[in-house]
Amino acid sequence: MFQEPFSISQLAIPAVWVLISFLTFTSQYFFLHFEAVPLREHELWAINFLAACIGICYYRSCTVDPGRIPKHWKPSDHVGGRQRWCRKCEAFKPPRAHHCRTCERCIPKMDHHCPWTTNCVSHFTFPHFIRFLFYAVVGMSYLESLLFERASTIWASRHLPSYLGPSLGQMVYLFILLAVNSLIAFALFILLLRSLWSLGANTTTIESWEIERHKALLRRARHFGGYLDAPGGVKIRIRKQEFPYDIGIWDNIKAGMGGSANILGWFWPFSATPDRETGLDFEINDFERPNVTWPPPDPDRIPLPTSTDKGDAFTVPQVYSSAHEEIEAFNRRRDEDLKRGRPGVVQRRKQFHERFDSDTRGESDSEPDEKRNSDGEEAWRNSEGERLHDFGVDEEIEFYDEEDIPLAVLIQQRGQRQQ
């Protein structure tokens, strides 16, 4: 019988459970035997209550299905703008969905694939995930206060004879508990703050990356009169585009917590998972024109044009200043077509700064494959050094040919509209 190879990621969930158990139970054992400040009854109840909340929320973050796109889902004919297509799933992608390379499917409103839950944080699991972070930070902060109280007692009695205070083993163990709890509580507190900011702005981690990418493209385009070169020798107009899903803090929080306005329900560990019928369509703020979609157009994500292309709202007719410029554009299109047609060769574009340097030196963009950056523009990183790959996204599926809808599907759509 075939068995999957062992992966270090399989140890993540057991490691978290061991850590929860270590901090919960060994700390209580320590407090019970710490005579200077014995464990009080209300502290016992509080520690175990918070530990139970942490365990329940973590279990649900790990086990709740992050969702999948219905097999025959397709965008409404009444919705304008670009349509998104996943080449690996061979299906349309709803707004805010992304293809996870670990789950091997498109995930509704994917935030990221969490290595510590080995599950996607998505439209359906985000409420459980943020409750886990909340209770983890609250529980570990409470434990920190108890540990600090005992450490303060030891410090205050440092001038007394050693036989009147705790043993060396107790002091070493208290230091270990303090160090482990402090480091993890601080890391989770930063993650909680980031998640709460995303909740209030109604953005996912991936969308925050897309927003920063859009700002980078705007800065580039400003240098070239508002346009950037795309594959095939065409130019794409880059306009400032507002994030469409920010609908106000209160509505953003409700949307992120499963659509519920019940504040107590947001904190209840057994709160229901968002309705499985949701996650395919989201309320927008109408700051942009109806035919403008998110993410904004990116020249490096646009497929090579074909003879059937009619153009779109972001492309402009090509006007060449000279015959030489027109010939160069033709040569670039020809080289890209040849590369695209070679079996086993995945189309990549060099990083923007490399293309810009080549253009200023008058060099061709069609260098041999071994001299080109194998990652291409998909390797773009935000200010924190993150790329889509770091969030669990399948970059090759997500970044390239995202909108390259098969001709047969387009013909089928047109036939359905004519009926």
Side-chain angles (χ1 to χ4, degrees):
M1 183 177 180
F2 176 76
Q3 292 184 345
E4 293 185 1
F6 175 79
S7 172
I8 192 67
S9 62
Q10 294 175 295
L11 297 177
I13 293 179
V16 173
W17 282 117
V18 168
L19 180 62
I20 293 173
S21 301
F22 170 76
L23 292 175
T24 301
F25 301 114
T26 64
S27 62
Q28 294 180 68
Y29 180 82
F30 169 79
F31 294 149
L32 286 171
H33 293 82
F34 190 79
E35 296 180 358
V37 186
L39 184 66
R40 308 172 184 95
E41 184 177 357
H42 72 274
E43 294 174 344
L44 178 68
W45 279 102
I47 291 174
N48 287 283
F49 171 76
L50 291 171
C53 292
I54 293 171
I56 293 168
C57 295
Y58 179 68
Y59 174 79
R60 301 190 77 187
S61 298
C62 297
T63 58
V64 169
D65 190 333
R68 60 185 69 241
I69 311 304
K71 186 175 180 180
H72 300 294
W73 183 89
K74 63 179 182 179
S76 171
D77 293 335
H78 302 291
V79 178
R82 297 167 296 143
Q83 297 176 340
R84 305 171 69 225
W85 177 265
C86 179
R87 289 184 292 115
K88 185 165 283 190
C89 295
E90 296 184 346
F92 286 104
K93 282 198 301 186
R96 314 183 81 175
H98 301 277
H99 192 95
C100 175
R101 70 175 187 272
T102 303
C103 299
E104 297 184 340
R105 65 178 187 264
C106 287
I107 302 296
K109 194 186 174 185
M110 178 180 173
D111 186 281
H112 68 284
H113 188 92
C114 179
W116 297 106
T117 63
T118 65
N119 198 13
C120 266
V121 179
S122 70
H123 174 73
F124 299 105
T125 59
F126 180 80
H128 305 307
F129 182 74
I130 203 165
R131 275 191 287 269
F132 161 65
L133 292 179
F134 171 77
Y135 280 112
V137 170
V138 171
M140 297 180 79
S141 298
Y142 181 71
L143 179 59
E144 187 80 1
S145 68
L146 300 183
L147 293 170
F148 184 78
E149 180 184 4
R150 274 71 180 180
S152 299
T153 300
I154 294 176
W155 180 256
S157 59
R158 64 188 183 278
H159 299 300
L160 297 177
S162 60
Y163 63 86
L164 294 177
S167 65
L168 177 62
Q170 286 182 319
M171 290 191 291
V172 170
Y173 198 73
L174 175 60
F175 174 78
I176 293 174
L177 284 172
L178 264 172
V180 172
N181 190 73
S182 300
L183 288 174
I184 298 175
F186 177 76
L188 291 180
F189 177 69
I190 298 300
L191 182 57
L192 176 62
L193 287 181
R194 183 171 180 174
S195 299
L196 290 175
W197 180 88
S198 295
L199 178 64
N202 200 11
T203 61
T204 64
T205 303
I206 296 173
E207 287 166 346
S208 296
W209 185 93
E210 291 173 339
I211 291 171
E212 195 166 336
R213 167 75 173 169
H214 180 51
K215 292 178 180 178
L217 291 176
L218 286 171
R219 290 193 296 269
R220 293 180 186 177
R222 201 172 294 123
H223 181 78
F224 297 100
Y227 296 89
L228 291 177
D229 291 330
V234 299
K235 292 183 181 293
I236 305 298
R237 184 170 185 180
I238 307 297
R239 296 174 174 169
K240 187 178 186 302
Q241 188 170 319
E242 298 295 335
F243 182 69
Y245 302 111
D246 186 355
I247 52 177
I249 293 179
W250 173 249
D251 289 328
N252 288 343
I253 296 174
K254 284 197 303 180
M257 299 304 291
S260 171
N262 183 357
I263 298 178
L264 294 179
W266 296 347
F267 299 93
W268 179 235
F270 293 100
S271 291
T273 299
D275 190 342
R276 292 291 174 177
E277 298 298 320
T278 62
L280 302 175
D281 188 27
F282 300 92
E283 183 180 353
I284 59 176
N285 51 33
D286 292 326
F287 289 161
E288 297 288 351
R289 300 180 302 280
N291 65 331
V292 174
T293 53
W294 188 271
D298 185 336
D300 293 290
R301 302 175 74 164
I302 296 175
L304 287 171
T306 65
S307 58
T308 59
D309 284 343
K310 303 298 183 182
D312 61 35
F314 296 101
T315 59
V316 295
Q318 300 306 294
V319 179
Y320 303 102
S321 59
S322 66
H324 176 71
E325 183 180 349
E326 185 171 1
I327 292 172
E328 284 188 340
F330 171 79
N331 288 334
R332 286 198 301 270
R333 290 194 297 270
R334 180 196 61 191
D335 292 338
E336 289 171 349
D337 287 339
L338 289 174
K339 280 188 180 351
R340 198 175 177 86
R342 283 163 55 186
V345 176
V346 179
Q347 177 71 13
R348 292 285 193 274
R349 297 188 79 202
K350 289 191 294 185
Q351 295 269 18
F352 173 78
H353 67 274
E354 294 178 351
R355 300 199 305 269
F356 180 73
D357 291 342
S358 296
D359 291 342
T360 55
R361 293 194 303 265
E363 298 176 4
S364 172
D365 191 30
S366 56
E367 297 178 6
D369 288 336
E370 61 270 14
K371 294 183 180 180
R372 297 168 66 89
N373 186 322
S374 61
D375 285 333
E377 190 66 17
E378 71 185 38
W380 183 87
R381 298 177 182 271
N382 63 11
S383 59
E384 297 181 9
E386 299 165 323
R387 51 191 280 188
L388 282 175
H389 180 87
D390 298 322
F391 308 135
V393 173
D394 191 327
E395 280 185 340
E396 185 162 312
I397 297 302
E398 188 71 21
F399 203 87
Y400 292 100
D401 297 340
E402 185 183 61
E403 302 158 25
D404 196 7
I405 303 175
L407 181 60
V409 175
L410 294 175
I411 294 175
Q412 182 183 18
Q413 279 188 319
R414 186 176 64 180
Q416 292 173 348
R417 286 195 294 266
Q418 291 176 348
Q419 290 178 357

